[in-house]
Amino acid sequence: MAATKLFQLIAFTALALIASSYGPTPVNALSTPHIHGRHHGVADSMKRNNVLKRDTAKRCKPRPSSSIASAAPTTSASPAPAPTTSSPAPEPTTTTKAATTTQSSSSSGSTSSSSSGTSTTPKGITVNGSSKLAMAWPNGDSTDFAKFSTNVQAYYTWSESCVSTDGGVPCMRMLWNNAADKVAAFKKATSGGPVTGKNIILGFNEVNEPGQANMSPEDACATWKDAIQPLAAKGYTLGAPCSSGNPNGITWMKKFFECCADCTIDFMTVHWYDIDLDNFKSWVQQWHDDFGNRDVMVTEFAVQNFNGGAQRDLGFIMNFHKEAAAWAKTQPWLKALAPFGVMRDMQGVNTANQLMNSDGSLTDLAWQIYNEY
């Protein structure tokens, strides 16, 4: 009898154990680690995407016209691009004519290998003295020019025009885009051939930006061959079209070189707006390396954050320029740099970059830059 009860107890226990194996899984045994893993993966993906967005957004903001247009007469001004909400690319309103001296001046310099698809050999830029400072001047025939012209290799006005108050500082003429009036004004200004101090040409301004020159590589090539290429035979030194700091500018320029394979491109022009010195160096270096080791001129740059983050203060910017100037002097192919900000209204760019005070004098930053580059 006892043996029978013992057997029944063992059997009942076994059945209970079997039944319990089909019960609900405990909550702490759910796939929480898996959910956490997916969340972690999404977070990593978001971080990578954010980095990509920041990288591709750098230097890609188009710039509106300068509000300093009133500083000069407007009767024959080049029309400015439509204003946008970001950084500026002013166009001058000067009505002055170029000097009429007839002494011929050709530019010769370091010879660099031509880029693939380009048959001509770039002759580079000849500069005088040790300074690598250029100037972007939007203020027309202002007497303030003399305050900023010391130690400057050359200047430009975002147009074909030079200013009567330049005191003989070399003036680089620009064909801003392919608008009929600009092309006509440019051809008129260059019809007599190069003269002393006016023998360098700058190509179109920020061709890859809708708010700026906004040209396809093919349209730019056609206009180049019509209005700029003939100047090579006259002795002008020709600077390539300029893109904004948007990385798509590299792609644009490579397409331009493909469709303008027989064009003369003596040096590259570069724009840069960001906050990191290493980024600045690598960006400028890329334009030298990717396009036949040509000379490079930085025609606009500033320490400016267009990615929604904090702007840098004056101390940071001063240190940036100190180090940038030291680096530039070690690069023989980097011929000149024109920091953005010789104006009273910075057009949305961090005012710590400003080089002109409200009274037309140099800011502390300008004094430093003019002594270091």
Side-chain angles (χ1 to χ4, degrees):
M1 183 68 177
T4 301
K5 288 182 177 181
L6 178 61
F7 176 80
Q8 289 176 343
L9 177 62
I10 293 172
F12 179 79
T13 302
L15 288 172
L17 290 173
I18 293 172
S20 68
S21 67
Y22 293 97
T25 304
V27 173
N28 62 3
L30 290 174
S31 54
T32 304
H34 179 64
I35 293 176
H36 175 73
R38 290 183 64 219
H39 184 269
H40 183 68
V42 171
D44 281 352
S45 175
M46 289 175 66
K47 289 178 182 177
R48 288 193 296 271
N49 288 340
N50 286 340
V51 169
L52 179 61
K53 288 176 181 177
R54 287 197 296 271
D55 287 345
T56 56
K58 287 178 180 178
R59 319 174 214 91
C60 64
K61 301 296 185 180
R63 289 179 278 287
S65 61
S66 170
S67 65
I68 309 180
S70 59
T74 58
T75 54
S76 64
S78 302
T84 65
T85 58
S86 16
S87 62
E91 288 191 71
T93 55
T94 176
T95 59
T96 60
K97 296 182 179 179
T100 57
T101 55
T102 57
Q103 180 180 352
S104 175
S105 174
S106 61
S107 176
S108 61
S110 58
T111 302
S112 54
S113 59
S114 61
S115 176
S116 57
T118 305
S119 59
T120 58
T121 300
K123 57 188 176 184
I125 312 169
T126 296
V127 295
N128 300 313
S130 60
S131 171
K132 291 203 172 188
L133 188 65
M135 182 167 61
W137 179 261
N139 307 301
D141 289 337
S142 170
T143 55
D144 291 330
F145 185 96
K147 302 174 186 177
F148 293 86
S149 60
T150 302
N151 208 35
V152 168
Q153 290 296 323
Y155 77 98
Y156 73 100
T157 65
W158 283 277
S159 83
E160 77 290 339
S161 297
C162 302
V163 299
S164 63
T165 54
D166 65 17
V169 177
C171 173
M172 301 180 290
R173 303 185 188 279
M174 173 186 284
L175 177 52
W176 199 85
N177 71 357
N178 60 346
D181 60 333
K182 293 185 185 297
V183 172
F186 178 83
K187 285 184 175 181
K188 182 177 180 181
T190 57
S191 61
V195 296
T196 301
K198 295 176 175 61
N199 65 326
I200 296 178
I201 299 298
L202 299 180
F204 320 109
N205 187 73
E206 297 201 344
V207 288
N208 59 326
E209 292 293 346
Q212 296 299 314
N214 192 28
M215 303 167 70
S216 70
E218 294 75 19
D219 286 345
C221 183
T223 304
W224 184 280
K225 290 181 177 180
D226 171 55
I228 297 180
Q229 183 58 39
L231 301 180
K234 294 183 176 183
Y236 282 96
T237 298
L238 309 182
C242 193
S243 77
S244 70
N246 191 325
N248 68 17
I250 294 286
T251 302
W252 189 101
M253 197 63 62
K254 289 181 177 179
K255 291 181 179 178
F256 174 80
F257 269 83
E258 290 175 1
C259 69
C260 214
D262 56 345
C263 297
T264 302
I265 309 292
D266 292 315
F267 65 97
M268 306 305 297
T269 58
V270 181
H271 286 183
W272 181 90
Y273 290 87
D274 207 340
I275 57 176
D276 182 75
L277 179 63
D278 288 337
N279 177 290
F280 172 74
K281 293 178 182 179
S282 62
W283 180 246
V284 175
Q285 181 80 49
Q286 184 174 4
W287 286 88
H288 169 66
D289 295 348
D290 285 8
F291 298 98
N293 296 323
R294 284 173 167 79
D295 288 347
V296 174
M297 184 182 294
V298 182
T299 51
E300 283 185 38
F301 73 113
V303 181
Q304 165 66 30
N305 189 341
F306 281 124
N307 299 311
Q311 299 296 344
R312 297 298 188 253
D313 61 20
L314 179 59
F316 180 98
I317 294 173
M318 283 184 161
N319 188 64
F320 172 94
H321 281 287
K322 180 178 181 179
E323 296 185 21
W327 173 75
K329 289 180 178 179
T330 66
Q331 311 304 318
W333 48 266
L334 181 50
K335 295 300 183 178
L337 306 92
F340 184 84
V342 185
M343 56 189 68
R344 295 173 178 84
D345 182 350
M346 290 294 284
Q347 298 292 311
V349 172
N350 180 7
T351 55
N353 292 280
Q354 197 156 12
L355 304 178
M356 177 184 279
N357 289 313
S358 59
D359 62 357
S361 63
L362 279 71
T363 64
D364 289 343
L365 177 62
W367 280 110
Q368 174 190 314
I369 286 175
Y370 276 65
N371 282 298
E372 289 183 345
Y373 279 93

